[in-house]
């Protein structure tokens, strides 16, 4: 070898394989994932070619070639890990039993014992998996947005099959990550070391994250890219550290990267090219790797001290292969000789423990030493080892008891997991003790999973009348809520009646009762609502929402439901509480509430939402008298919005009767009034569109009403041609839209690169009339109805982009197929299935609303070939506007300005709608007064930053009165503890910040002191003085105080 | 067992049969036993499956939209229906039913589930007038101390085998009892991990549970014994002194002539030699009165054996040669037929072609039908191969044949152009480590302790074209018509 950084020689070790997604050397040969099999190949005669072949495991799915098993990795525990992606169902025969994994997940396999287990579930395309120096696992997802995900035994993420709860990834909105590696070693300088590198094959980038502890999990901070290519064939799919400390990047090198989206035999697919790149840091010498072949056991042990992950991983594996007889005596000697003053001694002891674990040698002495480490990371790793060995260690329970009370949250997490795996009653008691200390989402998940998987032990005890969890009510409530099945109902009701519960335990207990209980059980929930209705907490609303869901799902009404009428009519009750109460009165058929509801439905003084809820309540009561009152309201002289609400509620119950009244209202609708609720009400009934179309015959609608109707019809995901025709026929002025002939399209595609203006395209994308942002997010910000477009330009071809706009139903992206769900009572819900369990289907509709539909209510669930994306969007665009829009989409994720930056820029804004209350608010903040002035009358509208991260000020409305020419916006931050939040503003001239002591001019570098929790930062913008764009970036706090993070309210 | 001409034989079961596809010893033994009969085989083995078709339920039908969840939740019988549908589609006249591996893990309370479900399956199949052969599961063995003790598992498997035998006896089905046929297989557990493996005999399994090649040979042998297949018995006694056949069994010899260096003659066999066990193919050639010296036997010009004249006079056992190669070729053709059928039966990208993403790539369905045609074409090849050909025997000296090697060509392009497209973080530099033609379509890398980079490559990705032979990892696959 000449060490010039290029491969000198290559040997074909094995051929004749069928799509081997990964290969990893070990045990004197190499392991290969191939289609339905895991193989072990070996060269026994030393000619460099495999001549022996064993099929270790078979039965992995092959229904989707790009999902077949992949990503082989040796864990520090000596197990072989590998993954499968979403459309793979695997049933594997092993000597330990049949193992099954449906959909994506990570397998853990020990080749010597043939023991195969599921380590983690989910992630759509988990094409990357790596271990950090402390043995923690991090995964990536090549399909869904999530950046890095923290995996541990039992973790589950999006797409996991047969699970009831999933965890969030660490970087929502960060799409398309493939191979992942922890950077380490002396070749790289400090700022590169211990960061996570992953490959975005779609956007031709290699990206990086820095992890830091966040409770028992991690925060993942995106860092600047390692590299980016303007060549769209650059397809980085894997990244690994080499023995020389350099970074190696695997480049599939093909213009086509999609699987099913491009034809399998497309001539553009490249079957010849492929590159491996090596990245080094200038001016720093490479690492001389230790000589490991032929090394003595002592030399291998010493290699465990090296800072390069590669050296340690190889040494650990070689020690395992060498075997216990030779290694154990040397290892004990090596441990005894470690210097206690070495800053890395804790890590070295852990490495030795892993060697024992890899060899399958239970070593209580070595384990105890690491369990006592002052470093929490080492203790956490040791608890993972303890989990593996617990049946062999007599006082394992005692050790776990200490771990579950550890001060370091991740040790507690591992202890809960270890208890779950122990499968004993004692372990169940232990696991719940994690609740005695502060809990975060990850710990809550682990405890929830433990309670469920150990339920055969503790629930049986409980049913046998014996006390569990040492009589601790909070522990019991948590465990019962976690299990949540019918046999937990009675003990939960008993706990709730006992009155010992408080806080989150009380709320979740009552919510579970609402979900499971019958009329008697629900009474305890209603009692609590009555108790808390006039308090300034969200408790009553949460419980009422749970009751409302129960009313919808199981048609359950509490025996004391009538008490809600008092909550509804009590003057002290919050408006939001009254709204739910109004709907519930209807759902529970509380005829006694009729008069109160009718009065509220006709009263605009407490806001349209309450009147709307009251109208819905009346409609749900459904008796002739109530419907009569509704008809009166719809036809009366009340304010139009209230009449609209009444007719919408009526249409939702009886579209045939409501249709002619609805058309009368729509005919006379003024520009301020929104026709959507009424039209939507008709669309939500199976027989609604037909009734509305019939009533429209011979009528004339204002153009705006007709257009809104057509827009709703077009995005309904259903074929409603008759109603569309009726709306167009009724339009007062004939519609002339732009038409795009095939010749126009050809010309447009030819012009995109030369004449298309991406900046103008982005403004068109952001316009209200195109409503693109309602459904599409870019880098996690925006709607979730359609796919996130952050990396669109890296994958989609221009003709495909244009077709997607002109004919949205021609090619619908995977996972965004429209379904029509017909309910047994005549409603129809159209949207995209978000999740499907045995009992519920969750559908996201075109308005980004989630519907939880009980399976029992579903008459028919059919797949529609019509996209939720409206057709005819382009009819309102000029030819040039469409050209600019296509240009913008084609550069998303490709040009720096249209690539979502990793900097912490404010992306989520709200502007204040002009109103008298808004002026009152402005006056109040100008004098340093209470920011709550104007309160509920203020209307804040969400506005997102551009892809580059700035807010175009020209899009903001201006206030009137004393504040002529002023716009007000706000954004949100969250702080763990009170402190100073520094940020940098670009374009801050003429902008003042609302501080407790009045308005302060915004300088380029600014810091504001805020209390802990979620806080709004409000800005007052003088549009005369201000520029066109405002960009705000959070900066690093000077003192190492708690960092604030940007959030959405 | 005495099959009828034109029989269609389905091998239905769990991983025992699924893996048999790639070994083919049982199917080869059955095919070669009756060269005059046309038998078609369809392997419907499915890893982890039960008589209720639980593993093969898969995704269910195309109506199971957007869901990766198996369909049992909606229809507990889905797998069973799919199993019957698969069997019926194969139009069998005979079905070998090999289930029971999974039942060995059933909890004590569930132990009647397996016999009940097997009876249910047998009843359904019997209604189709299909002849059944019940097959029992094979015993486990322990290859190293890290593996679980096979004893309790084998007790359970023995009980399952007994349940199968009982059903077979009640209903009058023939039974292929592999549990007994392959016992005693268990190897004594090892005490020390570093100790070499003191196997009394080579292990029959690859991993303690699944049979390897030796195991499947034993399966074929067990079938030969228990189902009374014809043996591959073959004896030939040639007298050079009299230039005539002194005795023959299983073959016909003629045209005996002297040559400058020895003797030659032509033979026509009744059937191909069996591969399953030495006992099954006892081929002894005896040639008396040869002049002194070492003689190589060539069959059709291929060296097969070497022995002295006195050894030839007492008889030399033949263990290789074109006849054996023909059986191996037949076996390879059967394995290839199984591979083609697998692509038809369990096609890749099924999600796109037939199931919930068929709106995207449903147009590829016609390709799947092509696999079925290829299976039929391959069966013509199998029919040709199962018939023995006449062979020319000659006792002379040997010859060598060189092997041919054809390198494949790959396109040449310039990675430097790609390098110029990169924008790197400050302070970093990049160089090309490897590129085509050294590697094509790399997916994944890992390093070994010597610092060598191992690369997984696939030119077959994303889809195996109909009739394409995959060659991933090597220099590229042969793509049909490209």
């Amino acid at each position: 070898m000449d060490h010039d950084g290029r491969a000198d020689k290559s040997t074909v070790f094995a051929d004749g394989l069928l799509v081997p997604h990964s290969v990893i050397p070990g045990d004197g040969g190499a392991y290969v994932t191939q289609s339905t099999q895991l193989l072990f190949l070996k060269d026994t005669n030393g000619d460099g070619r495999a001549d022996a072949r064993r099929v270790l495991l078979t039965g992995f799915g092959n229904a989707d070639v790009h999902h077949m098993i992949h990503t082989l990795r040796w864990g520090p525990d000596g197990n072989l890990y590998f993954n499968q992606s979403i459309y793979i169902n695997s049933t594997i025969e092993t000597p330990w039993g049949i193992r099954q994994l449906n959909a994506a997940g990570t397998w853990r396999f020990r080749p010597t014992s043939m023991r195969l287990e599921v380590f983690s579930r989910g992630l759509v395309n988990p094409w990357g998996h790596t271990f950090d120096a402390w043995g923690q696992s991090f995964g990536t997802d090549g399909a869904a947005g999530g950046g890095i995900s923290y995996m541990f035994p039992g973790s589950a993420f999006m797409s996991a099959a047969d699970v009831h709860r999933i965890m969030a990834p660490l970087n929502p909105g960060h799409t398309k990550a493939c191979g992942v590696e922890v950077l380490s070693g002396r070749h790289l300088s400090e700022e590169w070391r211990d960061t996570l590198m992953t490959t975005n094959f779609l956007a031709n980038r290699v990206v990086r994250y820095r992890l830091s502890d966040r409770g028992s999990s991690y925060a993942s901070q995106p860092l600047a890219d390692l590299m980016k290519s303007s060549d769209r064939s650059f397809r980085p799919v894997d990244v690994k550290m080499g023995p020389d400390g350099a970074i190696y990047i695997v480049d599939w090198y093909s213009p086509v990267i999609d699987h099913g989206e491009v034809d399998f035999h497309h001539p553009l697919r490249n079957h010849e090219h492929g590159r491996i790149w090596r990245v080094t840091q200038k001016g720093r010498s490479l690492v001389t790797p230790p000589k490991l072949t032929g090394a003595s056991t002592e030399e291998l042990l010493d290699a465990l001290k090296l800072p390069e992950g590669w050296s340690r991983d190889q040494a650990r594996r070689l020690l395992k292969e060498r075997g216990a007889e030779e290694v154990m005596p040397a290892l004990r000697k090596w441990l005894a000789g470690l210097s206690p003053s070495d800053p890395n001694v804790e890590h070295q002891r852990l490495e030795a423990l892993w060697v024992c674990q890899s060899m399958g040698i239970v070593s209580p002495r070595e384990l105890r030493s690491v369990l006592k480490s002052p470093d929490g990371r080492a203790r956490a790793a040791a608890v993972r080892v303890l989990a593996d060995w617990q049946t062999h260690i007599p006082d394992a329970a005692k050790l776990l008891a200490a771990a579950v009370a550890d001060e370091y949250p991740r040790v507690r997490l591992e202890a809960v997991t270890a208890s779950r795996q122990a499968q004993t009653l004692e372990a169940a008691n232990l696991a719940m003790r994690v609740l005695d200390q502060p809990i975060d989402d990850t710990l809550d998940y682990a405890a929830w999973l433990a309670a469920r998987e150990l339920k055969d032990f503790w629930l049986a005890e409980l049913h046998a009348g014996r006390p569990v969890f040492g009589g601790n009510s909070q522990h019991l409530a948590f465990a019962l809520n976690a299990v949540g099945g019918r046999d937990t109902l009675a003990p939960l009701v008993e706990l709730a009646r006992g009155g010992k519960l408080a806080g989150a335990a009380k709320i979740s207990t009552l919510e579970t009762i609402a979900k499971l209980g019958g009329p008697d059980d629900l009474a305890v929930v209603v009692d609590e609502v009555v108790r808390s209705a006039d308090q300034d907490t969200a408790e009553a609303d949460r419980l009422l929402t749970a009751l409302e869901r129960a009313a919808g799902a199981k048609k359950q009404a509490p025996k004391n439901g009538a008490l809600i009428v008092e909550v509804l009519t009590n003057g002290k009750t919050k408006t939001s509480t009254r709204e739910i109460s109004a709907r519930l009165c209807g759902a529970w058929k509380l005829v006694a509430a009729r008069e109160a509801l009718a009065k509220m439905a006709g009263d605009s003084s407490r806001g349209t939402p309450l009147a709307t809820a009251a109208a819905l309540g009346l409609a749900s009561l459904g008796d002739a008298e109530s419907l009569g009152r509704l008809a009166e309201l719809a036809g009366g002289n009340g304010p139009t919005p209230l009449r609209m609400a009444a007719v919408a509620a009526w249409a939702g119950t009886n579209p045939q009767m409501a249709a002619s009244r609805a058309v009368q209202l729509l005919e006379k609708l003024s520009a301020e009034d929104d026709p959507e609720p009424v039209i939507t009400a008709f669309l939500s009934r199976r027989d609604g569109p037909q009734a509305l179309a019939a009533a429209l015959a011979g009528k004339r609608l204002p153009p705006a009403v007709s257009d809104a109707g057509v827009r709703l019809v077009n995005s309904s995901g259903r074929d409603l041609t008759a109603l569309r025709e009726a709306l167009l026929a009724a339009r007062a002025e004939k519609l002339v839209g732009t038409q795009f002939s095939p010749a126009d399209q050809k010309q447009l595609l030819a012009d995109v690169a030369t004449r298309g203006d991406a900046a103008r395209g982005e403004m068109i994308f952001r316009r209200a009339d195109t409503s693109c942002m309602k459904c599409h997010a870019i880098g996690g910000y925006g709607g979730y109805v359609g796919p996130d477009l952050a990396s669109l330009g890296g994958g989609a071809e221009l003709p495909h982009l244009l077709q997607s706009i002109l004919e949205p139903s021609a090619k619908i992206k995977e996972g965004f197929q429209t379904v029509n769900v017909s309910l047994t009572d005549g409603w129809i819900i159209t949207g995209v299935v978000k999740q499907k369990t045995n009992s519920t289907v969750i559908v996201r509709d075109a308005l980004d609303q989630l519907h939880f539909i009980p399976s029992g209510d579903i008459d028919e669930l059919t797949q529609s070939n019509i996209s939720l994306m409206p057709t005819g969007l382009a009819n309102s665009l000029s030819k040039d506007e469409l050209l600019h829009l296509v240009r913008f989409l084609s550069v998303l994720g490709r040009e720096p300005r249209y690539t979502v930056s990793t900097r912490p820029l404010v992306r989520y804004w709200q502007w204040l709608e002009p109103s008298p209350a808004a002026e009152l608010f402005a006056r109040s903040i100008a004098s340093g007064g209470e920011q709550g002035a104007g309160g509920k009358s203020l209307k804040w509208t969400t506005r997102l930053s551009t892809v580059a991260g700035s807010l175009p000020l020209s899009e903001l409305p201006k206030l009137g009165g004393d504040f002529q020419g002023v716009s007000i916006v706000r954004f949100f931050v969250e702080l763990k503890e009170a402190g100073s939040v520094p940020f940098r503003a670009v374009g801050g001239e003429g902008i003042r910040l609302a501080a407790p002591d009045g308005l302060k001019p915004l300088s380029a570098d600014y810091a504001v002191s805020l209390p802990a929790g979620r806080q709004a930062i409000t800005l007052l913008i003088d549009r005369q003085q201000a520029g066109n764009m405002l960009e705000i970036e959070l900066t690093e706090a000077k003192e190492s105080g708690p960092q604030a993070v940007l959030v959405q309210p | 067992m005495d099959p009828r001409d034109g029989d269609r034989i389905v091998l239905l079961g769990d991983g025992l049969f699924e893996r048999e596809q790639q070994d083919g010893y049982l199917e080869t033994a059955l095919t070669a036993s009756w060269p005059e009969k046309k038998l078609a085989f369809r392997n419907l083995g499915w890893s982890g499956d039960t008589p209720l078709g639980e593993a093969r339920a898969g995704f269910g039908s195309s109506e199971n939209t957007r869901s990766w969840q198996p369909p049992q939740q909606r229809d507990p019988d889905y797998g069973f229906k799919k199993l019957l549908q698969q069997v019926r589609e194969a139009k069998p006249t005979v079905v070998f039913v090999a289930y029971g591996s999974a039942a060995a893990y059933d909890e004590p309370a569930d132990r009647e589930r397996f016999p009940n479900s097997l009876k249910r399956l047998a009843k359904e199949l019997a209604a189709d007038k299909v002849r059944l052969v019940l097959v029992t599961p094979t015993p486990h063995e322990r290859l190293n101390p890290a593996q679980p003790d096979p004893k309790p598992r084998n007790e359970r498997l023995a009980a399952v085998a007994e349940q199968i035998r009982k059903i077979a006896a009640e209903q009058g089905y023939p039974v292929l009892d592999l549990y007994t046929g392959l016992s005693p297989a268990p190897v004594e557990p090892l005490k020390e991990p570093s100790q070499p493996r003191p196997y009394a005999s080579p292990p029959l399994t690859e991993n303690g549970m699944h049979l390897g090649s030796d195991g499947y040979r034993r399966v074929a042998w067990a079938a030969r014994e228990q189902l009374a297949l014809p043996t591959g018995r073959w004896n030939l006694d040639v007298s050079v002194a009299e230039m005539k056949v002194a005795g023959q069994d299983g073959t016909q010899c003629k045209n005996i002539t002297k040559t400058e260096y020895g003797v030659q003659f032509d033979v026509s066999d009744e059937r191909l030699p069996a591969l399953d066990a030495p006992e099954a193919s006892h081929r002894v050639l005896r040639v008396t009165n040869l002049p002194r010296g070492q003689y190589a036997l060539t069959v059709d010009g291929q060296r097969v054996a070497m022995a002295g004249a006195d050894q030839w006079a007492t008889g030399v056992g033949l263990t290789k040669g074109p006849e054996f190669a023909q059986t191996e070729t037949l076996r390879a053709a059967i394995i290839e037929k199984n591979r083609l059928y697998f692509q038809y039966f369990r096609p890749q990208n099924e999600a796109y072609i037939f199931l919930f993403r068929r709106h995207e790539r449903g147009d590829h369905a016609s390709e799947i039908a092509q696999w079925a045609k290829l299976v039929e074409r391959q069966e013509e090849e199998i029919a040709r191969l199962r018939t023995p050909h006449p062979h020319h025997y000659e006792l002379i000296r040997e010859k060598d044949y060189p092997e041919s090697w054809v390198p494949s060509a790959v396109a040449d392009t310039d990675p430097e152009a790609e390098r110029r497209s990169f924008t790197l973080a400050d302070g970093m530099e990049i160089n090309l480590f490897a590129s085509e033609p050294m590697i094509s379509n790399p997916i994944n890398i890992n390093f070994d302790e010597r610092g060598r980079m191992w690369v997984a490559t696939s030119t077959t990705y994303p889809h195996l074209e109909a009739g394409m032979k995959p060659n991933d990892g090597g220099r590229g696959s042969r793509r049909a018509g490209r």
Side-chain angles (χ1 to χ4, degrees), chain A residues 199-206 226-238 249-255 257 275-277 279 794 894, chain B residues 418-419 421-423 430:
Chain A
T199 54
N200 183 332
F201 52 89
L202 198 64
N204 322 107
R205 294 157 72 191
V206 179
L226 168 73
M227 62 186 293
K228 161 123 193 77
S229 173
S230 56
D231 181 347
R232 61 186 300 166
S233 291
F234 173 61
R235 300 298 186 185
V237 293
D238 195 12
I249 290 156
V250 178
D251 174 10
W252 172 262
Y253 200 68
S254 171
I257 197 69
R275 280 114 202 227
I276 292 169
W277 300 96
V279 178
R894 290 192 47 72
Chain B
E418 186 188 5
R419 199 189 61 78
S421 77
F422 295 147
T423 312
I430 194 161

Side-chain angles (χ1 to χ4, degrees), chain A residues 424-690:
Chain A
T424 62
L425 175 63
E426 189 183 16
N429 288 327
L430 258 175
M432 290 303 110
R433 283 196 221 159
V434 76
L435 302 167
D436 297 340
Q437 289 196 60
I439 198 132
D440 57 31
D441 285 348
T442 312
L443 285 169
D444 189 85
Y445 170 86
W448 171 87
L449 192 63
R452 291 171 70 92
E453 292 193 3
L454 295 169
K455 86 168 175 159
D456 286 351
F457 301 94
W458 63 263
L459 198 54
E461 284 290 294
L462 188 70
H463 286 313
R466 287 186 283 273
V468 290
F469 306 124
N472 185 316
S473 304
Q474 309 292 328
H475 292 190
L476 178 58
F478 181 92
L480 287 166
N481 282 310
V483 171
R486 285 222 51 93
D487 43 351
T488 64
L489 180 62
L492 276 172
V493 172
E494 195 182 319
L495 271 178
R497 292 214 173 104
K500 277 195 209 147
L501 297 176
K506 182 169 80 177
I507 295 282
S508 48
T509 296
L510 292 168
E511 281 177 332
T512 309
I513 294 172
K515 191 169 145 197
L516 301 170
D520 288 334
D521 310 313
L522 295 187
V524 67
V525 186
V526 173
D527 288 342
E528 187 58 33
V529 170
V530 172
R531 200 160 27 244
S532 58
D534 57 358
Q535 286 165 24
D536 195 22
T537 64
E539 192 175 312
D541 289 6
R542 273 185 65 175
L543 297 179
L544 283 167
T545 304
L547 287 169
E548 192 175 21
R549 198 164 285 165
K554 298 175 41 218
K555 315 280 176 259
Q556 287 289 356
K559 64 167 189 199
N560 60 351
L563 293 174
I564 294 298
V565 184
E566 281 173 39
V567 173
L568 175 72
T569 50
N570 185 341
K572 286 192 211 148
T573 308
K574 290 189 302 262
T575 312
S576 59
T577 310
R578 284 181 162 200
E579 283 170 24
I580 316 172
S581 304
R583 292 193 300 265
L584 267 178
C585 285
W588 290 342
K589 312 282 182 208
L590 299 174
V591 191
R594 187 190 297 126
E595 288 314 309
L597 289 174
K599 200 167 152 230
M600 273 180 207
D603 177 5
S604 62
S605 67
R606 297 200 66 159
T608 310
L610 180 58
T612 304
L616 287 170
L618 272 180
S620 300
L621 281 179
D623 59 313
E625 197 175 340
S626 301
L627 291 184
R629 301 298 295 269
L630 210 49
E632 278 169 31
L633 284 162
N637 299 322
T640 310
L642 266 50
R643 293 174 60 197
M644 295 282 284
V647 87
W650 192 14
T653 307
N654 194 330
Q656 308 292 348
M657 280 171 67
S660 62
R661 178 68 73 204
V663 172
Q664 280 173 22
L665 267 167
L666 291 174
E667 277 182 311
K668 302 216 175 71
L669 210 61
S670 66
E672 298 90 71
D673 290 313
D674 185 0
E676 281 197 18
V678 169
I679 298 170
T680 306
F682 281 97
L683 295 186
S684 65
R685 297 291 305 191
R686 208 177 313 166
D687 49 354
Q690 200 193 348

Side-chain angles (χ1 to χ4, degrees), chain A residues 134 304-305 331 334-342 344-356 366-374 378:
Chain A
W134 301 94
L304 297 174
K305 295 181 180 175
L331 181 131
W334 182 80
L335 274 171
L338 291 178
S339 160
S341 58
D342 187 324
N344 294 321
V345 70
E346 300 304 326
H347 190 260
Q348 291 157 5
R349 289 191 180 125
L350 173 61
E351 284 284 358
L353 180 62
W354 278 335
V355 171
C356 298
E366 284 70 24
L367 173 63
R368 269 171 233 282
S369 132
V370 188
L371 281 173
K372 279 186 277 191
S373 168

